[in-house]
Amino acid sequence: MKIGVVHFGCASAGATEIVRTLVEEASIQGNKVYGIEWDSSTNKIQQTEFDRNSLHTFGFNRYRLNRFSINIWNEQLDKIASELSELDQVILLGDTKANLDHFSSKLLLVPVSYYNNVSGSQATLGYDTALNSIVESIESVRDTASSLSYGKVRVFNVQIPGFESTKLVNDTALAVDAEVVDQVNNDVVNRLKLHIRYKEANKEGYTFFVMDSSVDPMELGKHFEEFDLDWKAVVIDESQCGGPYPTAVDRLLANQLKRSVVEWVRSNHKSGQLLIQDNKVILSELKQSEGIK
């Protein structure tokens, strides 16, 4: 049996662990596993066969797949489906915005995402590590800000990855007692102005605004020229979300997910989607004809 693996999410140790475990299981069962990536230089699918010996030759990072762009996947869907038609099973690590019509292979979606944005799943692999990494970065800024007095309020605009309001934005703001900027309109600007006046009245020297990449901190700052502020932008990119090590929560999720992936492959189930509910991994049926909404 031939098994393909695509990674739509962000590179994470947990996702790599799932691939490694899958390769080890495949070697025992006599199956073959292929990492599926997009070669931008040739505009073609690249399939790389993984085997157990690769771990000893190339190390753990051998199984770290480059992100496959959702946009490219959906734009090139017919071509990709045709090229992957020889695979018996395809495992998709990442969010659920990929169109899955026209695939003859059995498919399994696995909730891997920094943003905890998979419909029907209470958690995603990578989210807890991303949240902790971002909070640690903000707290390091707080340590510096609290030790310096500028005689004015210092506003740190923390821009985190993503282009839509996500749980990651809101939970980050709650964790560091910051204001959320999900869009720029009169209501939001007026709320932030009241917040700054409160800080000034209480002689507090700094505050944090948290936003995603759709909000430009410098453009936002133009609405606050009436104040005497020290306006700063702190940009956190996806490479900082992984952190050096996964959190205990993500380790637990990775172990549950990898066992569920192996069980799905071994049992040759119908196409499905793994979801995390009440700290357990469940398999939900996937109707390919409907695609993924």
Side-chain angles (χ1 to χ4, degrees), residues 72-112:
I72 290 177
W73 177 277
N74 290 337
E75 290 169 1
Q76 305 283 336
L77 183 63
D78 290 341
K79 179 180 179 181
I80 292 170
S82 176
E83 291 192 36
L84 300 184
S85 61
E86 294 185 0
L87 298 176
D88 300 288
Q89 298 173 332
V90 179
I91 297 167
L92 304 103
L93 309 175
D95 61 33
T96 54
K97 296 182 180 65
N99 190 332
L100 303 182
D101 293 337
H102 313 306
F103 276 84
S104 57
S105 310
K106 292 182 178 179
L107 306 174
L108 179 68
L109 276 65
V110 184
V112 179

Side-chain angles (χ1 to χ4, degrees), residues 45-83:
I45 284 280
Q46 178 177 308
Q47 298 187 50
T48 304
E49 183 177 352
F50 291 152
D51 59 66
R52 200 170 187 178
N53 294 328
S54 299
L55 181 63
H56 305 291
T57 305
F58 298 99
F60 191 72
N61 283 336
R62 172 62 170 169
Y63 306 121
R64 186 181 294 271
L65 290 168
N66 293 322
R67 169 190 280 183
F68 202 118
S69 167
I70 291 282
N71 291 336
I72 290 177
W73 177 277
N74 290 337
E75 290 169 1
Q76 305 283 336
L77 183 63
D78 290 341
K79 179 180 179 181
I80 292 170
S82 176
E83 291 192 36

Side-chain angles (χ1 to χ4, degrees), residues 239-269:
S239 65
Q240 295 172 270
C241 292
Y245 304 102
T247 62
V249 170
D250 273 342
R251 290 175 188 271
L252 290 170
L253 290 181
N255 285 334
Q256 292 183 73
L257 287 170
K258 72 181 184 183
R259 287 195 292 267
S260 296
V261 168
V262 167
E263 195 278 331
W264 180 82
V265 170
R266 186 185 297 159
S267 302
N268 202 19
H269 284 300

Side-chain angles (χ1 to χ4, degrees), residues 112-170:
V112 179
S113 172
Y114 285 157
Y115 307 106
N116 199 359
N117 57 349
V118 174
S119 179
S121 189
Q122 295 172 346
T124 54
L125 177 61
Y127 174 74
D128 193 67
T129 298
L131 178 61
N132 277 268
S133 298
I134 293 171
V135 169
E136 287 179 7
S137 296
I138 294 174
E139 289 303 323
S140 67
V141 174
R142 188 193 303 277
D143 288 343
T144 301
S146 61
S147 65
L148 298 173
S149 177
Y150 271 51
K152 62 179 71 175
V153 176
R154 305 184 73 187
V155 179
F156 294 93
N157 295 272
V158 183
Q159 188 183 60
I160 65 177
F163 288 90
E164 58 184 351
S165 181
T166 63
K167 186 173 174 60
L168 186 59
V169 171
N170 291 287

